[in-house]
Amino acid sequence: MMSERRAAVVAGHGRFAEGIISAVAQVMGEGHGLVAVTNADRTPEGIEQAIREALDRTGATVLFTDLPAGSCTFVGARLARAVPQLRVVTGTSLPMLLSFV
């Protein structure tokens, strides 16, 4: 059911998010509720805009990022100060996302 699906945004360097979401889909099937955002070729402002758009579009309140001190995490920390219900999880791994899904 759609109401049981938990949405989240996965953001990171290069094709990290796309690749790890692909692995989740291979294990769990489609309909997992994860949306990828890359920081490639984006300024910090561009990363923030892309993450905000993905959060707004999905209604997600969780942002998974690749590196604890990466640009996506820095953006996520700023967004979490403005959006108290947003949770930012760093050091994202396949087992972590599978557990979330």
Side-chain angles (χ1 to χ4, degrees):
M1 287 182 70
M2 189 72 155
S3 63
E4 294 175 5
R5 185 180 83 178
R6 298 193 314 172
V9 174
V10 181
H13 291 79
R15 299 178 87 180
F16 168 80
E18 181 183 318
I20 202 163
I21 289 173
S22 171
V24 169
Q26 193 168 33
V27 174
M28 302 291 291
E30 296 299 324
H32 43 66
L34 303 174
V35 175
V37 172
T38 181
N39 70 353
D41 301 320
R42 290 191 167 124
T43 63
E45 295 80 15
I47 297 167
E48 183 169 344
Q49 180 180 356
I51 291 174
R52 276 186 186 273
E53 288 173 359
L55 291 169
D56 290 345
R57 184 174 66 252
T58 62
T61 58
V62 179
L63 170 64
F64 289 98
T65 65
D66 55 354
L67 296 174
S71 56
C72 293
T73 302
F74 292 145
V75 165
R78 279 196 310 274
L79 289 173
R81 284 192 294 277
V83 182
Q85 69 271 22
L86 179 63
R87 299 294 178 249
V88 180
V89 182
T90 66
T92 301
S93 66
L94 182 57
M96 182 186 297
L97 287 180
L98 291 172
S99 178
F100 175 82
V101 170

